[in-house]
Amino acid sequence: MTQTITVIRGDGIGPEIMDATLHVLDAMDLGLQYEDADAGLVALEKHGELLPQATMDSIRKNRVALKSPLTTPVGEGFSSINVELRKRFDLYANVRPAKSFPNTKSRFPSGVDLITVRENTEGAYIGEGQSVSEDGATATLTQKITRKGSERIVRYAFDLARKTGRKKVTVVHKANILKSTSGLFLKVAREVAAQYPEIQCNEMIVDNTCMQLVMRPEQFDIIVTTNLFGDIISDLCAGLVGGLGLAPGANIGTDAAIFEAVHGSAPDIAGKGIANPCALLLGAAQMLDHLGLPEKATRLREAIVATLEAKDSLTPDLGGTGNTMSFAKAIASRI
Ligand code: NAI
Ligand code: MG
């Protein structure tokens, strides 16, 4: 089988972790072809636009992309190209697993195995009605939640539970305060949950969820929630299992899917060659599952675990003295 995937090398640590990830994938004999495409700051410099048509065309054609993080300016400047890609391809499900691994600097070296399913196309992140008054004294933002958007993400979470044999879905909301938006999400979630009687469903308010995650993360199996809450919760979950270097994410739509790390471009360590490549590698494992190659995905995950177990060439975030490429080579040698 030959499958072409779009590869976006990204900003900051992006190119370093992509080199490492492709090194490991190349060792796996997958028959994958890579088609490079630019997005974000790199694209702006090279092509004069943040999201070139050629990149859109490549993703549309290949339907699968592996993407490194893209930098978004804080508080001003252009809108997020990550959000834009999710919007343009209607990648409504952001699927972010967090699992305990051996020999990390985690407070939970075992017992965490959960997936955050984050709604990816609505809520606070779409930038509708974003404005600041002329005198700079008042800022506004519209948050929109729809029945359709809520239904498909909750259904995705329950179908994922069915498919993967998971037993419980926790619906995370703030419907006590955000009665319209979070209220609609919760109402629809209850309706969908009723159609999956074999899967346990519980509801939890988002602030309590954060506390529960830190105290007793083992109670969670699948979390389904709206866009902003899912973004924050998935970084929290990454922290539970040893940091952002271990947390991958898939952005899934009907016509395309983009696989990435949960983390950003990490400007504080960019160019030093010390970024942990595992988050993007685990994103690549999600991609292999999506491509119908679950045995290969399992092999990749097992090679990562074996390398962590052997403490071979681990990057500094895991307490090691290795670097991005030596870690990748150690993983590739166990494939
Ligand atoms: P970040 O996730 O880039 O970094 C947070 C902390 O985690 C930093 O201390 C960083 O060094 C560390 N870290 C992240 N990835 C790591 C890795 N692979 N190995 C070792 N340490 C790692 O978050 P930050 O600094 O808030 O954002 C930086 C930029 O990234 C911003 O422009 C933001 O918009 C963008 N971003 C992009 C995302 C994407 O492309 N999907 C997601 C999140 C942020
Ligand atoms: Mg985030």
Side-chain angles (χ1 to χ4, degrees), residues 10-11 13 17 41 67-74 78 80-83 86 94 96 118 231 235 243-247 251 260-270 274-280 315-318 324:
D11 302 315
I13 60 172
I17 57 172
L41 291 175
K67 185 187 80 61
S68 273
L70 302 171
T71 295
T72 310
V74 175
F78 62 82
S80 166
I81 299 303
N82 301 303
V83 171
R86 292 164 187 166
N94 192 332
R96 297 181 152 183
R118 161 191 177 192
D231 189 8
D235 266 43
L244 282 164
L246 295 164
N251 301 278
E260 62 180 351
V262 166
H263 64 70
S265 52
D268 52 336
I269 56 168
I274 54 166
N276 184 345
C278 282
L280 188 60
T315 43
D317 57 306
L318 301 172
T324 309

Side-chain angles (χ1 to χ4, degrees), residues 245-260:
L246 295 164
N251 301 278
I252 310 276
T254 311
D255 301 320
I258 299 181
F259 299 86
E260 62 180 351

Side-chain angles (χ1 to χ4, degrees), residues 154-199:
V154 176
R155 197 169 288 289
Y156 187 96
F158 277 92
D159 285 341
L160 183 67
R162 257 190 193 158
K163 202 169 74 184
T164 55
R166 287 177 182 263
K167 304 271 178 293
K168 181 161 113 180
V169 173
T170 302
V171 179
V172 173
H173 66 89
K174 187 75 185 177
N176 50 332
I177 308 295
L178 308 174
K179 291 190 197 290
S180 62
T181 49
S182 220
L184 176 61
F185 178 76
L186 181 60
K187 181 171 187 285
V188 174
R190 285 175 181 162
E191 290 168 14
V192 174
Q195 296 164 30
Y196 296 80
E198 79 282 15
I199 293 162

Side-chain angles (χ1 to χ4, degrees), residues 6-12 36-47 49-56 59 67-71 78 80-82 84-85 258:
T6 301
V7 169
I8 299 174
R9 297 168 60 76
D11 302 315
D36 282 312
D38 295 320
L41 291 175
V42 176
L44 188 63
E45 274 163 30
K46 278 196 352 207
H47 314 286
E49 49 185 336
L50 288 157
L51 189 52
Q53 188 59 41
T55 300
M56 293 295 294
I59 299 171
K67 185 187 80 61
S68 273
L70 302 171
T71 295
F78 62 82
S80 166
I81 299 303
N82 301 303
E84 189 61 28
L85 281 167
I258 299 181

Side-chain angles (χ1 to χ4, degrees), residues 124-276:
Y125 278 26
I126 309 312
E128 274 177 21
Q130 215 162 191
S131 70
V132 180
S133 63
E134 240 163 64
D135 63 1
T138 310
T140 55
L141 165 71
T142 304
Q143 293 198 32
K144 189 162 77 187
I145 299 282
T146 67
R147 167 170 283 277
K148 177 181 166 229
S150 302
E151 190 177 338
R152 67 179 177 174
I153 195 64
V154 176
R155 197 169 288 289
Y156 187 96
F158 277 92
D159 285 341
L160 183 67
R162 257 190 193 158
K163 202 169 74 184
T164 55
R166 287 177 182 263
K167 304 271 178 293
K168 181 161 113 180
V169 173
T170 302
V171 179
V172 173
H173 66 89
K174 187 75 185 177
N176 50 332
I177 308 295
L178 308 174
K179 291 190 197 290
S180 62
T181 49
S182 220
L184 176 61
F185 178 76
L186 181 60
K187 181 171 187 285
V188 174
R190 285 175 181 162
E191 290 168 14
V192 174
Q195 296 164 30
Y196 296 80
E198 79 282 15
I199 293 162
Q200 193 194 333
C201 177
N202 66 335
E203 299 165 7
M204 207 179 274
I205 294 174
V206 63
D207 26 5
N208 177 34
T209 305
C210 293
M211 189 275 288
Q212 295 288 340
L213 275 166
V214 174
M215 298 292 287
R216 289 198 307 119
E218 67 283 352
Q219 71 183 286
F220 295 94
D221 197 350
I222 289 182
I223 290 172
V224 65
T225 190
T226 44
N227 206 335
L228 171 62
F229 297 159
D231 189 8
I232 296 168
I233 282 177
S234 52
D235 266 43
L236 193 161
C237 292
L240 294 178
V241 300
L244 282 164
L246 295 164
N251 301 278
I252 310 276
T254 311
D255 301 320
I258 299 181
F259 299 86
E260 62 180 351
V262 166
H263 64 70
S265 52
D268 52 336
I269 56 168
K272 296 185 179 163
I274 54 166
N276 184 345

